[in-house]
């Protein structure tokens, strides 16, 4: 959402904060004018007999159906037969304090954040320099730095806990170092990725060094010609040649992580997620076939026999049950614990770099690949994971994801602030690891409960029942 281009397909339900004093009218530049799909907080949460302040929430319409239809006439059925929002005219915004929650995109943030004044109650998606973790080259750079620091201060054994990302080099700046490594391991497959692109764009696999000579030429020739473009930054990684296969197909796992603060570090892990499968059986004989090696939905949906209803996806719950039945509960629990380690270590690698702001939060989409030993590998971290639904189950997942995120942010101050679980979000870290309560068990296929960390990725998600319970409990605590 760019400031100069007002999106369509949004509508707004004003909350109490939309009443701006006359003294504040006209004090903001016109780039604050926007319109958004909104819902009040007490529409998205269980009813509460106590008094509460409703919130004015601004989020983009990234779903095939509306989050909350404002009125029957505000909905329509599109050409695909799905429920959608009618395009409504933009609503002028005349003040600073007439919104509580802003789901902005990264481009808008970069253009406007430094000139914005945020009131105490306002929340906005993305930290100022979120790219320190979500650009592929910077992510690896920060992980390498923290690993060296850990080895220096705590020893090599502790540093081995960072062994969850493939051997990676930045091109063209580390081209010579990469060549030395390449010559030590002739015949293996490498994968090239643009550092700042997503959805599988620009990715390719190679075995021969001459396939990437363009980057060498661009970096090491003198830049005397000012009109010549600087070569695009790529990362080259050792390709995981032994991925875990299900039905002969490669897959990766999308994990949702919510960071409410970096100082102190406060991290929530969502129980739901999904595994994305490739559309073609895995083989190393055809490394140029993207339908074999890239699991991105943006790539797979172009496959000739792609089924948009199924979407080549499994829920994380389905995946956990399958793996527990095939490989045993203990091994699967160890694997999910390793995913927790990936999340915490990666966030700690940028904890002192990210510009912390109490107004900001971040919802990351972690992409994790499993090898045939059930070892998880961090592939990348997305700052703006797709919220487009590929089917009903996918829609229900992402609807619950965003709804529960609003409950965690607690814009109306209805919770106690001591909750370890809110809907589908479990508190994983709060300036230290969180220990699970005895009554919060995750029971895979054989009924075995997880260990003490408050982590339930792929576990049963009775979010609606749990939300009712915590709001009733919080109401009783506040009354007492």
């Amino acid at each position: 959402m760019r400031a100069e281009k007002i999106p369509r397909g949004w509508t707004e339900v004003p909350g109490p904060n939309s009443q701006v004093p006359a003294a504040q009218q006209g004090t903001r530049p016109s780039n604050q004018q926007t319109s958004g799909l909104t819902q009040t907080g007490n529409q998205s949460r269980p009813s509460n007999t106590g008094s509460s302040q409703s919130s004015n929430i601004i989020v983009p319409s990234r779903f095939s159906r509306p989050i909350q239809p404002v009125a029957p006439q505000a909905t329509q059925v599109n050409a695909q037969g799905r429920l959608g929002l009618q395009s409504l005219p933009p609503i002028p915004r005349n003040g600073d304090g007439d919104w509580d929650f802003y789901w902005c995109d990264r481009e808008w943030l970069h253009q406007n954040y430094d000139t914005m004044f945020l009131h105490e109650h306002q929340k906005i998606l993305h930290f100022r320099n979120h790219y320190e973790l979500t650009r592929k080259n910077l992510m690896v750079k920060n992980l390498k730095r923290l690993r060296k620091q850990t080895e220096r201060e705590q020893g090599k054994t502790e540093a081995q806990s960072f062994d969850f990302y493939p051997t990676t080099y930045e091109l063209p700046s580390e081209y010579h170092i990469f060549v030395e490594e390449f010559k030590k391991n002739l015949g293996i497959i490498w994968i090239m990725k643009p550092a700042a692109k997503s959805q599988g764009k620009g990715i390719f696999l190679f075995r021969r060094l001459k396939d990437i000579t363009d980057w060498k030429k661009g970096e090491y020739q003198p830049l005397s010609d000012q009109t010549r473009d600087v070569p695009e930054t790529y990362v080259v990684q050792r390709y995981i040649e032994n991925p875990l296969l299900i039905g002969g197909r490669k897959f990766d796992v999308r994990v949702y992580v919510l960071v409410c603060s970096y100082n102190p570090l406060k991290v929530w892990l969502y129980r739901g997620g999904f595994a994305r499968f490739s559309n073609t059986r895995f083989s190393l004989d055809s490394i140029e076939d993207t339908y074999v090696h890239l699991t991105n939905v943006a790539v797979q949906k172009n496959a000739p026999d792609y089924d948009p209803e199924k979407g080549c996806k499994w829920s994380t719950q389905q995946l956990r049950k399958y793996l527990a039945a095939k490989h045993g509960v203990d091994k699967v629990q160890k694997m999910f614990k390793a995913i927790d380690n990936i999340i915490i270590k990666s966030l700690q690698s940028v904890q002192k770099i990210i510009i912390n702001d109490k107004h900001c939060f971040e919802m990351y989409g972690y992409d994790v690949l499993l090898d045939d030993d059930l070892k998880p590998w961090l592939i990348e971290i997305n700052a703006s994971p797709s919220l487009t639904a590929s089917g009903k189950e996918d829609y229900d997942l992402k609807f619950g994801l965003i709804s529960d995120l609003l409950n965690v942010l607690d814009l109306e101050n209805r919770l106690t602030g001591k909750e370890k679980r809110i809907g589908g979000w479990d508190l994983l870290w709060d300036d230290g690891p969180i220990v699970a309560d005895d009554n919060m068990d995750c029971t895979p296929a054989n009924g075995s409960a997880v260990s003490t960390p408050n982590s339930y990725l792929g576990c049963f998600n009775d979010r609606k029942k749990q939300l009712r319970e915590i709001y009733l409990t919080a109401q009783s605590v506040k009354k007492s």
Side-chain angles (χ1 to χ4, degrees), residues 419-430:
E419 291 81 6
K420 291 184 179 180
R421 179 189 173 193
I422 301 176
W425 291 101
D426 294 293
L427 184 59
L428 182 63
W429 191 273
D430 189 4

Side-chain angles (χ1 to χ4, degrees), residues 227-244:
T227 62
R228 186 165 62 87
D229 293 335
V230 176
E232 182 179 6
T233 300
Y234 271 66
V235 294
V236 57
Q237 292 181 324
R238 186 164 179 168
Y239 186 65
I240 306 298
E241 299 185 19
N242 62 326
L244 181 66

Side-chain angles (χ1 to χ4, degrees), residues 373-417:
D373 290 324
L374 289 189
K375 177 181 178 177
W377 295 87
L378 176 60
I379 303 303
E380 64 181 19
I381 304 173
N382 299 278
S384 298
S386 173
L387 298 177
T388 302
S390 59
K392 183 182 184 305
E393 290 185 6
D394 201 37
Y395 173 83
D396 291 340
L397 165 68
K398 292 172 180 175
F399 180 98
L401 176 76
I402 300 301
S403 178
D404 291 346
L405 182 148
L406 295 175
N407 286 305
V408 171
L409 295 180
D410 193 23
L411 300 176
E412 297 165 353
N413 194 27
R414 297 170 64 191
L415 299 175
T416 65

Side-chain angles (χ1 to χ4, degrees), residues 221-410:
Q221 289 180 359
L223 290 175
S224 55
D225 183 4
Q226 299 298 323
T227 62
R228 186 165 62 87
D229 293 335
V230 176
E232 182 179 6
T233 300
Y234 271 66
V235 294
V236 57
Q237 292 181 324
R238 186 164 179 168
Y239 186 65
I240 306 298
E241 299 185 19
N242 62 326
L244 181 66
L245 305 179
I246 296 181
R249 289 169 171 79
K250 179 183 175 181
F251 68 95
D252 68 357
V253 184
R254 168 60 57 86
V255 180
Y256 294 104
V257 176
L258 173 65
V259 177
C260 298
S261 168
Y262 270 98
N263 186 22
L265 184 61
K266 189 169 186 178
V267 184
W268 296 79
L269 175 63
Y270 200 66
R271 295 190 171 201
F274 52 85
R276 305 178 298 183
F277 288 83
S278 62
N279 205 59
T280 308
R281 296 180 68 87
F282 182 78
S283 172
L284 294 176
D285 296 332
S286 54
I287 62 173
E288 71 284 350
D289 191 343
T290 57
Y291 299 139
V292 172
H293 301 282
L294 303 185
T295 59
N296 308 70
V297 175
V299 173
Q300 294 296 327
K301 68 181 182 181
N302 296 315
D305 54 345
Y306 177 78
D307 186 346
E309 291 301 320
K310 295 180 180 179
C312 294
K313 290 181 180 179
W314 270 12
S315 70
T316 313
Q317 287 85 350
Q318 287 176 289
L319 179 65
R320 182 161 191 154
K321 289 180 179 179
Y322 172 85
L323 294 178
K326 186 174 180 62
H327 300 279
V329 173
D330 292 341
K331 195 169 183 179
V332 171
Q333 289 178 0
K334 182 180 179 181
M335 180 202 78
F336 278 100
K337 187 176 180 180
I339 293 178
D340 294 343
N341 176 69
I342 290 175
I343 294 169
I344 297 304
K345 289 290 193 297
S346 61
L347 295 173
Q348 288 176 333
S349 73
V350 297
Q351 184 177 4
K352 297 181 180 179
I353 300 174
I354 295 291
I355 302 171
N356 193 59
D357 190 324
K358 66 181 180 180
H359 299 286
C360 300
F361 67 96
E362 199 80 54
M363 189 184 77
Y364 296 109
Y366 277 65
D367 290 338
V368 178
L369 177 71
L370 304 178
D371 67 19
D372 54 14
D373 290 324
L374 289 189
K375 177 181 178 177
W377 295 87
L378 176 60
I379 303 303
E380 64 181 19
I381 304 173
N382 299 278
S384 298
S386 173
L387 298 177
T388 302
S390 59
K392 183 182 184 305
E393 290 185 6
D394 201 37
Y395 173 83
D396 291 340
L397 165 68
K398 292 172 180 175
F399 180 98
L401 176 76
I402 300 301
S403 178
D404 291 346
L405 182 148
L406 295 175
N407 286 305
V408 171
L409 295 180
D410 193 23

Side-chain angles (χ1 to χ4, degrees), residues 41-314:
N42 52 3
Q43 283 178 318
S44 62
R45 298 174 179 167
S47 61
N48 189 349
T49 56
S51 62
S52 64
Q53 182 187 30
S54 62
S55 300
N56 194 17
I57 301 170
I58 305 174
V59 293
S61 56
R62 298 184 180 179
F63 295 93
S64 299
R65 293 179 281 173
I67 292 181
Q68 281 283 5
V70 178
Q73 62 269 26
T75 61
Q76 67 179 6
V77 177
N78 60 23
Q80 286 75 33
R82 294 182 177 180
L83 193 61
L85 285 176
Q86 289 182 344
S87 296
L88 299 178
I91 300 174
R93 311 185 66 82
N94 299 316
D96 296 339
D98 57 352
W99 58 270
D100 298 303
F101 173 94
Y102 203 160
W103 191 279
C104 71
D105 62 23
R106 294 163 295 174
E107 290 76 13
W108 185 93
L109 183 82
H110 295 158
Q111 293 173 7
N112 297 276
Y113 187 76
D114 290 339
T115 60
M116 290 177 63
F117 172 78
L118 296 176
H119 289 268
E120 182 72 20
H121 64 278
Q122 292 176 319
K123 295 286 186 181
I124 189 167
L125 178 68
H126 300 309
F127 289 90
R128 180 65 182 84
N129 57 337
H130 61 85
Y131 49 80
E132 289 286 349
L133 189 61
T134 56
R135 280 183 63 106
K136 300 176 184 68
N137 57 329
L138 296 181
M139 178 192 79
V140 173
K141 177 183 177 181
N142 289 317
L143 284 170
K144 287 180 178 179
R145 184 183 63 250
L146 184 58
R147 177 172 186 160
K148 290 180 180 178
Q149 178 184 337
T150 302
E151 183 175 347
R152 184 171 60 251
E153 297 175 356
Q154 304 179 40
K156 292 185 177 181
T157 301
E158 183 62 27
Q160 289 177 355
S161 63
F162 287 86
D163 185 24
F164 54 74
Y165 57 94
T167 301
T168 305
Y169 299 96
E170 180 181 323
L171 297 186
S173 61
E174 295 179 331
Y175 178 79
H176 286 324
I177 304 174
F178 161 68
V179 169
E180 293 179 7
E181 181 68 20
F182 182 91
K183 291 179 179 178
K184 293 178 184 177
N185 300 276
L186 295 175
I188 70 169
I189 300 174
W190 296 83
I191 184 168
M192 286 280 287
K193 305 175 183 179
K197 291 183 180 178
S198 59
Q199 298 182 335
K201 296 175 182 176
I203 298 178
F204 65 92
L205 280 64
F206 67 94
R207 284 193 177 98
R208 299 175 301 176
L209 196 59
K210 69 177 185 178
D211 293 335
I212 58 167
T213 52
D214 291 343
W215 283 269
K216 176 187 173 183
K217 293 177 181 178
E219 172 67 8
Y220 295 106
Q221 289 180 359
L223 290 175
S224 55
D225 183 4
Q226 299 298 323
T227 62
R228 186 165 62 87
D229 293 335
V230 176
E232 182 179 6
T233 300
Y234 271 66
V235 294
V236 57
Q237 292 181 324
R238 186 164 179 168
Y239 186 65
I240 306 298
E241 299 185 19
N242 62 326
L244 181 66
L245 305 179
I246 296 181
R249 289 169 171 79
K250 179 183 175 181
F251 68 95
D252 68 357
V253 184
R254 168 60 57 86
V255 180
Y256 294 104
V257 176
L258 173 65
V259 177
C260 298
S261 168
Y262 270 98
N263 186 22
L265 184 61
K266 189 169 186 178
V267 184
W268 296 79
L269 175 63
Y270 200 66
R271 295 190 171 201
F274 52 85
R276 305 178 298 183
F277 288 83
S278 62
N279 205 59
T280 308
R281 296 180 68 87
F282 182 78
S283 172
L284 294 176
D285 296 332
S286 54
I287 62 173
E288 71 284 350
D289 191 343
T290 57
Y291 299 139
V292 172
H293 301 282
L294 303 185
T295 59
N296 308 70
V297 175
V299 173
Q300 294 296 327
K301 68 181 182 181
N302 296 315
D305 54 345
Y306 177 78
D307 186 346
E309 291 301 320
K310 295 180 180 179
C312 294
K313 290 181 180 179
W314 270 12

